Each structure stands twice: as C-alpha cells, then as structure tokens.
C-alpha cells in the first residue's frame, strides 16, 4: 500500500505537494576527518546522544571536526511527534541518573569552551526532566569551571516550578525555540503552542534577567515575510536577546514537505530586520541551526550585556 504524504489526504500528492528540488546553495560537503571519528567514538563509549545525529543536522561534519557537539539528554525517545523533527517518538525509558556525569566526562575530555545541552520532550515526567537538566549544568561546571553552558529545553508543559529548577542552575544562555510562525504552529509543532513558547521565554527573562534568552525560527513551511517580522516583534516583546533563522530541510518522506527554499540574500535581509529590532546577536542563513556557532553567539551576547551595563 502506498504511504500517505503527511500533507495530503490522498495517496497521490498533487504537483504542489511534491518535493521541491534542493537548490545548489544547500549542497553540503561531507567531511569525516579524525576529529569527527574520535568524537563519535567518545560519545558512543559514554552511551550519549547528540541532537547533531538524532535530528540529522546538516552541520554535523563541520561542528564535529571543530570538536563541538550539542548533547541530548533524557534519552533519545520523545513524547511528542512534531512534523519537522527526526527524533524518535514513543514511550521513553526510565531516567538515567548517571547521564549528567557522563555528559560532563565527555565535555571535559573534549575541553569544551561552550557546551549546549538539549533534550527530548518528557511529558511523562512530573518535572519534565528539569532536575536532570539542572544537574547536567552543575556537573559540567564542576569539571569545567570556565565552560559556558547553554540549555535548550522543551516548554516543560509551561510549568513555572520546573522552569525554576532549571534556571536555578544558572545556565549561561536559556534557549527555547519558537520554530515557526503563529499560523503554522498547530501544523508544525506537537502539543506546543506559540503563546506558551513566548510565555516560557518571558518567564525565564523575568525570573533570571541576567541570563540571555534565545530562540530559533525555521523557514520553509509556507510562512510569509510579514509573519516572520511579526515573530521578531513578538520575541522582542518578551526581551529575547539572541535569534537564529535557518532553512527547514525535510528529514524523511514521512515529515512535512518544504514549501519554499529561502535564498541566502533573503536570510541576509532578515538578519538586518532582526538587528534593527534590538536583538543582541542574530545568526541567519540556510544552514543555520539553533546551536550553530553557539560559542560565538554566547560571546557576542555577553559583550552586548557588558556594553549596556
């Protein structure tokens, strides 16, 4: 039986729904040098997951060759099934309470200057995994006092107490992605809502104003220029400091189709619009992802905070 396209009620997709040809500027050069192999073996040995692999990030080869990775904690099975995401979904296993120390072990061996810690959504847990998140931040700090730590959690069901547990660990950057424009959120994201994302970012800034906040937007789901500008304005209204914008790439045939490939010139113009609105740092380009050049983002935002102090 022919598999149904996720955007169609009919087994046969219309011309409009057929995959767009990927433009030349999105061709990725695969480089699997010694650092890539060493890092992969290290993570395997410590039974760790990275969003680099699980989400099929296009920058994995560049980042791993530069000895940079984004750790994904709380297992590798997500309780949500977003239409854009390649991470496995289902019923997660029990919590691994040794995971924070294994992440810290790897970060220390890698001599990281900036560690990014994200996770699957764990709606099955009372605190949505906030306690493990917080302990991972503390474990990295114990091993690497000079390493900055960025966290990228789910919305944790919008529960303030869970967010407080994580924020009390004092991460250097709190990142929570808005992903898409308001109109497309019900179609693109599972369980998450546009307003809840804004509320999470608002609460984080209000509770810990000294911690820079950050959010990311994927383009290519059918959003308009005006809707993107509105997202910028909405993020600035809750005082978000850092914004990243990148091109959505369909990970498998089961996921949402790309509706448009935004050009490098359009991404450059959007960066200018974002900077005009007061973001302290903006990354915008077809292959940009939330954690791409995260160390540079952290340094830039920190400098802006010092300049405004």
């Amino acid at each position: 039986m022919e598999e149904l396209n996720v955007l169609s009620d009919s087994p046969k997709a219309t011309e409009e729904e057929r995959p767009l040809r990927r433009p030349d500027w999105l061709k990725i050069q695969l480089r699997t040098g010694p650092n890539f192999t060493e890092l992969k073996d290290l993570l395997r040995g410590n039974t760790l997951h990275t969003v680099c692999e699980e989400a099929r990030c296009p920058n994995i080869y560049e980042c791993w060759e530069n000895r940079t990775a984004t750790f994904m904690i709380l297992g590798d099975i997500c309780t949500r099934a977003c239409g854009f995401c390649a991470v496995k979904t289902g019923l997660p296993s029990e919590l691994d309470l040794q995971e924070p120390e294994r992440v810290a072990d790897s970060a220390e061996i890698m001599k990281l200057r900036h560690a990014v810690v994200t996770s699957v959504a764990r709606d099955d847990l009372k605190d949505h995994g906030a306690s493990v998140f917080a302990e991972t931040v503390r474990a990295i700090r114990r091993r690497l006092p000079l390493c900055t730590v960025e966290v990228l959690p789910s919305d944790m069901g919008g529960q303030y107490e869970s967010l407080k547990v994580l924020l009390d660990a004092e991460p250097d950057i709190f990142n929570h992605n808005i992903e898409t424009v308001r109109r497309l959120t019900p179609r693109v994201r599972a369980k998450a809502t546009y307003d809840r994302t804004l509320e999470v970012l608002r609460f984080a800034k209000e509770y810990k104003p000294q911690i820079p906040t950050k959010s990311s937007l994927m383009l290519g789901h059918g959003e308009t220029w005006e809707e993107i500008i509105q997202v910028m304005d909405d993020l600035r209204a809750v005082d978000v400091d850092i914004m990243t914008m990148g091109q959505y790439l369909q990970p498998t045939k089961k996921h949402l189709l790309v509706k448009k490939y935004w050009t490098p010139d359009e991404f450059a113009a959007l960066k200018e619009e974002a900077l005009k609105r007061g973001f302290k740092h903006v990354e915008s380009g077809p292959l940009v992802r939330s954690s791409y050049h995260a160390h540079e983002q952290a340094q830039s935002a920190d400098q802006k905070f010092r300049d405004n102090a």
Side-chain angles (χ1 to χ4, degrees):
M1 182 177 178
E2 188 174 0
E3 184 178 54
L4 293 179
N5 187 286
V6 293
L7 295 184
S8 175
D9 294 325
S10 167
K12 293 184 178 179
T14 65
E15 287 290 340
E16 184 182 357
E17 291 173 325
R18 288 176 182 164
L20 300 175
R21 181 180 176 275
R22 185 175 292 194
D24 290 340
W25 65 75
L26 279 170
K27 290 181 179 178
I28 303 163
Q29 184 178 1
L30 305 185
R31 295 177 299 172
T32 56
N35 284 344
F36 178 91
T37 303
E38 182 183 352
L39 182 51
K40 187 170 185 177
D41 291 343
L42 169 66
L43 294 168
R44 292 292 174 277
N46 276 349
T47 322
L48 294 173
H49 305 286
T50 67
V51 75
C52 317
E53 294 178 285
E54 300 294 336
R56 305 187 184 189
C57 180
N59 303 308
I60 184 171
Y61 304 99
E62 177 185 352
C63 292
W64 282 26
E65 272 302 299
N66 292 325
R67 305 187 71 84
T68 300
T70 299
F71 298 105
M72 189 172 75
I73 63 172
L74 302 175
D76 64 344
I77 300 177
C78 186
T79 54
R80 302 182 185 182
C82 297
F84 67 90
C85 185
V87 175
K88 291 178 288 188
T89 62
L91 184 63
S93 58
E94 294 183 2
L95 277 181
D96 179 359
L97 299 181
Q98 298 305 312
E99 192 172 43
E101 290 300 329
R102 291 204 310 279
V103 170
D105 282 342
S106 295
E108 184 177 29
I109 292 170
M110 294 163 64
K111 297 181 174 62
L112 295 184
R113 294 179 298 163
H114 182 76
V116 181
V117 182
T118 188
S119 76
V120 293
R122 290 297 301 262
D123 297 312
D124 59 313
L125 301 174
K126 185 176 181 181
D127 74 345
H128 295 262
S131 57
V132 175
F133 239 119
E135 183 52 37
T136 302
V137 175
R138 296 187 182 103
I140 294 172
R141 289 259 173 74
R142 285 194 294 269
R143 302 291 188 87
L144 291 168
L146 299 181
C147 178
T148 51
V149 184
E150 176 179 335
V151 294
L152 173 54
S154 73
D155 59 23
M156 296 191 173
Q159 294 181 1
Y160 295 149
E161 290 308 310
S162 295
L163 291 167
K164 284 181 179 179
V165 168
L166 174 52
L167 289 163
D168 283 342
E170 299 285 341
D172 293 279
I173 292 181
F174 179 86
N175 183 358
H176 180 56
N177 291 337
I178 200 158
E179 307 290 13
T180 191
V181 301
R182 180 184 291 276
R183 174 176 57 88
L184 297 174
T185 295
R187 181 187 193 185
V188 174
R189 304 175 73 191
K191 297 185 180 179
T193 70
Y194 188 87
D195 287 322
R196 181 187 290 170
T197 291
L198 292 174
E199 177 59 19
V200 166
L201 291 163
R202 183 206 63 77
F203 176 80
K205 178 59 70 174
E206 183 179 274
Y207 185 63
K208 295 285 185 178
Q210 75 277 17
I211 297 177
T213 52
K214 172 179 168 183
S215 197
S216 182
L217 184 64
M218 293 180 301
L219 305 186
H221 288 295
E223 64 287 326
T224 66
W225 182 276
E226 291 74 21
E227 287 176 316
I228 296 169
I229 298 301
Q230 186 61 57
V231 173
M232 294 179 189
D233 291 340
D234 290 342
L235 291 175
R236 286 300 299 139
V238 293
D239 206 17
V240 169
D241 302 290
I242 303 169
M243 184 179 189
T244 65
M245 290 174 279
Q247 172 69 50
Y248 166 64
L249 300 175
Q250 185 184 14
T252 75
K253 292 181 180 179
K254 295 181 180 180
H255 291 84
L256 294 169
L257 288 171
V258 176
K259 289 292 189 180
K260 175 184 174 178
Y261 287 111
W262 292 74
T263 69
D265 286 344
E266 288 174 316
F267 275 107
L270 285 168
K271 179 175 182 176
E272 291 302 314
E273 290 291 340
L275 290 171
K276 287 177 185 176
R277 283 160 171 77
F279 289 99
K280 293 181 174 64
H281 187 88
V282 179
E283 291 279 350
S284 181
L287 293 180
V288 167
R289 295 297 180 264
S290 183
S291 301
Y292 187 53
H293 292 172
H295 185 249
E296 290 88 339
Q297 295 173 29
Q299 287 182 323
S300 176
D302 181 63
Q303 186 60 50
K304 293 287 180 60
F305 266 91
R306 294 185 183 189
D307 291 345
N308 295 330

